[in-house]
Amino acid sequence: MTLSPEIILLSMVAAYILAKLFKISTELSMFFAALAGALAGGAGIPARHIAEGAFTYLDIILIFITATFFMNLLKESGGVAFVIRGILRKFHHSKILLFLLLTLILLIPGALTGAGSVTVLITGGMIAVVLGYMGLSRPRTAAIVFIIAGLSAAAPPVSLWAMLTAAGVNMPYVGFFLPLLIPCVLLSLLTIFILGWKGKRVDLDKALKELPEAPDKMNWLRVILPFVAFFFLIAAGRVWPHSLPIVGLPLMFVVSALLSLLLSPIRLSVFRIARDTIRQLLPLIGTLTCVGILVQIMTLTGVRGLIAVTVVTLPVFIVVATLALTLPVSEAVLMWGAAPVLGVPLVLLFNTIGLNPIVALAGMSVIWPLGDALPPTAIIGRLTKDTVHMEEPYREMLKHCLIPAVLIAVVGTLMVLFSKKLAFLTML
Amino acid sequence: MITVMYYILAAAVAVLLMINFLRSKKWQDEILYLIVLLPFILRLLRLK
Amino acid sequence: MKDHAATLRKTAFSLLALVVLISAGLQFYRHRNLREPVVLGPGVTDVKNLSDYFDGISGTINDAHVYVLEGEEPGGAILVLGGSHPEEPAGRLAAWIFAENAVVQKGRLFLILSTNRSATTVTRLGGAYPTDYSIETNFGSRTFRMGDRWSNPLDQWPDPEIYIHYPSRQELAYIDIRNINRTWPGRPHGTLTEQTCFAMTELIKKEGIDIVIDLHEAELQYPVISTIVAHSKGQDLAAFSSMMISGMEGFNIGMENSPEALRGLSHREIGDHTDAISLLLEAPEPFLDATRGRTDRKLLLEGKDRFIVRAGKHGLLFEKIDENGWPIALRVGRHCSTLLQIFELWTEEKADRGLVVSGVPRYSDIVDRGVGAFLKNPATADPNRIVYE
Ligand SMILES: [Zn+2]
């Protein structure tokens, strides 16, 4: 006798809550929920499915590790302090210019890699320091970094939700550039101006006194060259995709890391930094691995189908009206797994009822990253809290996220609703 | 050529995960290190 | 004392992890190395390899067998591709039935059973597929590898952050660089998947292939289903075939044009880059639907699922489904009959380039007697007539 997916889902939820009650971390609670699901589903302890699920985000984990390693090297070599000092010196007189620059710096890493966590790890810390000198509280700063990091992940050229869903419905990844770029840039600017409006002009002398000194020999060239190498490799892959070998993001970050190591004015303890990087990332890569296992077990036992069929068979107006709820929640539980689980059936549904699938999917992609602040995983939310060294309770950050989150949800939903009218943005 | 570098990268990560596992003091972190390690080992053994 | 406990704990955890590692590793190894026999039918006159057409692929996992069935009478040449997407088993099984049963009187038939062999050795991450499935026969059962839509990362790693198709430069999702139905027409110095397509493009050119037919299956929530997708060169042939099948074979199949804007697909690029007509057949496979319930061999072979039925009642599907599901025999039968009808209509139209085939069961035969009735027993076959995929 096999239990129905409904009961298996209940036992997974029960196992998760039970694990949480025993003060077990979110990552491991998800792992135990997966084990409970497999047992309830009559699959025993399915070693192959555990291992296969654990593979799901292997390449993304490699990106996180190499990108963070690169940033940590840069930080230890004094490059980060050098850049912050430079930005403050040049732009301290104009809040508007400073905000525009900070938004750009926050958007680029996530836009190129498709991962908001890369934005948080690579530039989030620096930006937070600058915002701090403008008198913004830590939770407010964290909210700015988190929201823009999420939008950077959705921003083109690489938006993993749009890409994975498009592949799932056999659509080329074409026509997404403007439908993703325009809302992401506008909403990022709105966020930093709304949340940062109370910011004062930077007291330059005070800031320069307090900030750690960069090593004497540090200069712009030493900081910039590793980034130049990274952007060159990305650009080269796009300009000459058929005459160059495929490098892949992890190796690009390794190249940048090696360069910053070579160019560092001080000797760096590579082995220690590498070890610390792994330790720092354990919650993130652990969550990714456990989510992969969870999704595999949910698929195996039919729980995934239960969730998908329940969502897509709701009346269409409810589906659209609750996107701002279902997408972030699916993201909070499954992360990118939400794209195949919910994104694919939803886009097919929208296509069936005559909406423009590209614009609708772009609208969904803008909403999805909001879920990264929500439990159970709250992965990028937690990462942001740590990166900006916020001591206050986590909910303080969420409070500040509320206004931009509502704006994002409204914009995204309207994009789905009016996707047909906005179809010109795809330029197809 | 580039593929070989990815195997080296995976091996480096696997070694770091093992070292951190051995140095870890918390049982929850230990389990997590092993779970994360699993796909790296299987890839290095060219099983998956 | 405390140290001692920690060591003990770490050892225990490591042992547990080792058990999972070994157990999973063994299953992955068995999957990748499962040998699938092909009992060469009386019509197979030669077994070539893709590397005979493009040396760059020799020694790789994707150097697939090319089964040649040549008739006494000269005629045209048709290439049938099974296993472009090995997660769609009906395509491979239909090609298998041809390889083990078909006899060609006129013209030449080329069959590839593992178009993307690498993708037959891996299953989709998060998809919880079984690693294999067995077809019942009266001598026991025949077991086949279940596969994925994408080449195995063991054979092609890493992926770029975005996949730019050659030669159109259209942008596609990064994973589709391992999707062989997105890498046509291929290139000699590209990835393994692109090289495989290049080898097949060379085969099409060197053998003067008239028609290429690529066998697929699709989820019911996907609009392109139960249809023949045709390059503009094959429009009439596909339209006539669809009419004839709906009238004669006991099932309905539609016809649609290959969209200009979708690059890298066989029905687009083969037609554009070679003299051949390119067609692609889609049969319904509930196993691929995102709303499917429990994922197992039963669903794969019987195609029954109550969640998908529920989605159908809400008008979300492009093919009907009821409690009888979509058994594998129906899906394989559809492919076999559609192929035969295309061959027959083509031969009527172009007598000098015709292909006359006999010995292959039609839809009604396979539905009545099952797929297994048309698979041969490797144990009693002449060992010289067995090839492994
Ligand atoms: Zn297919």
Side-chain angles (χ1 to χ4, degrees), chain A residues 312-330:
Chain A
V312 295
T313 54
L314 291 170
V316 171
F317 76 93
I318 294 185
V319 173
V320 177
T322 56
L323 278 180
L325 192 71
T326 47
L327 295 180
V329 168
S330 69

Side-chain angles (χ1 to χ4, degrees), chain C residues 85 88 149 216-217 282:
Chain C
H85 290 154
E88 300 157 9
R149 190 180 176 79
H216 286 257
E217 296 192 86
E282 293 278 11

Side-chain angles (χ1 to χ4, degrees), chain B residues 2 7 9-10 12-13 16 20 23 28 30 36-37 41 45:
Chain B
I2 284 181
Y7 280 93
L9 180 59
V13 171
L16 289 166
N20 281 13
R23 292 180 164 217
Q28 296 201 17
E30 288 166 17
V36 175
L37 187 58
I41 302 283
L45 294 172

Side-chain angles (χ1 to χ4, degrees), chain C residues 142-208:
Chain C
R142 294 265 305 257
T143 302
F144 300 86
R145 293 191 296 272
M146 177 58 179
D148 197 356
R149 190 180 176 79
W150 296 288
S151 308
N152 194 333
L154 287 180
D155 304 312
Q156 189 175 320
W157 194 34
D159 294 336
E161 68 280 3
I162 195 158
Y163 162 41
I164 299 173
H165 170 254
Y166 177 86
S168 73
R169 297 188 73 100
Q170 182 171 76
E171 291 179 1
L172 293 145
Y174 67 94
I175 33 175
D176 275 338
I177 199 163
R178 287 182 279 118
N179 177 347
I180 210 163
N181 203 26
R182 295 294 180 282
T183 52
W184 289 96
R187 59 197 179 102
H189 299 293
T191 63
L192 178 68
T193 317
E194 288 175 310
Q195 287 181 318
T196 312
C197 281
F198 180 76
M200 291 186 287
T201 304
E202 289 293 290
L203 181 161
I204 293 164
K205 288 178 180 165
K206 285 180 185 159
E207 297 287 359

Side-chain angles (χ1 to χ4, degrees), chain A residues 170, chain C residues 84-88 149 179 181-182 214-219 280-282 285 288:
Chain A
N170 302 340
Chain C
S84 286
H85 290 154
E87 62 171 1
E88 300 157 9
R149 190 180 176 79
N179 177 347
N181 203 26
R182 295 294 180 282
D214 192 5
L215 304 179
H216 286 257
E217 296 192 86
E219 56 268 51
L280 184 149
L281 311 186
E282 293 278 11
E285 185 186 357
L288 293 180

Side-chain angles (χ1 to χ4, degrees), chain A residues 2-6 8 41-42 47-53 55-56 58-60 62 112 157-158 160 163-164 167-174 234 237-243 246-249 252 292 295-296 299-302 304-306 308-310 312-313 340-341 344-346 348-349 351-352, chain C residues 19-21 23-24 27-28 123-131 149-150 156-179 182 187 189 191 194 219 221-223 261-263 282 289-296 306-308 310-311 314-316 318:
Chain A
T2 47
L3 297 173
S4 72
E6 288 84 349
I8 299 169
R48 174 178 75 91
H49 289 296
I50 291 171
E52 193 162 293
F55 262 93
T56 311
L58 183 72
D59 290 304
I60 290 173
L62 278 178
L112 288 176
V158 178
L160 284 175
M163 214 180 241
L164 293 171
V169 299
N170 302 340
M171 204 157 78
Y173 182 61
V174 172
I234 291 231
R238 292 187 143 252
V239 178
W240 305 289
H242 304 125
S243 24
I246 293 162
V247 181
L249 287 169
M252 292 182 193
V295 172
Q296 176 99 3
T299 314
L300 178 71
T301 53
R304 169 179 158 181
L306 171 68
V309 81
T310 307
V312 295
T313 54
V341 173
V344 167
L346 282 176
L348 289 170
L349 169 72
N351 193 36
T352 313
Chain C
V19 171
V20 175
L21 182 87
S23 163
Q27 291 188 64
F28 291 134
T123 47
R124 193 189 288 207
L125 303 178
Y129 294 177
T131 51
R149 190 180 176 79
W150 296 288
Q156 189 175 320
W157 194 34
D159 294 336
E161 68 280 3
I162 195 158
Y163 162 41
I164 299 173
H165 170 254
Y166 177 86
S168 73
R169 297 188 73 100
Q170 182 171 76
E171 291 179 1
L172 293 145
Y174 67 94
I175 33 175
D176 275 338
I177 199 163
R178 287 182 279 118
N179 177 347
R182 295 294 180 282
R187 59 197 179 102
H189 299 293
T191 63
E194 288 175 310
E219 56 268 51
Q221 217 196 344
Y222 186 60
L262 282 188
R263 306 315 308 197
E282 293 278 11
D289 270 87
T291 53
R292 71 176 181 268
R294 176 176 290 272
T295 304
D296 54 14
R306 68 180 169 107
F307 291 158
I308 303 177
R310 191 162 132 202
H314 279 78
L316 296 173
F318 291 88

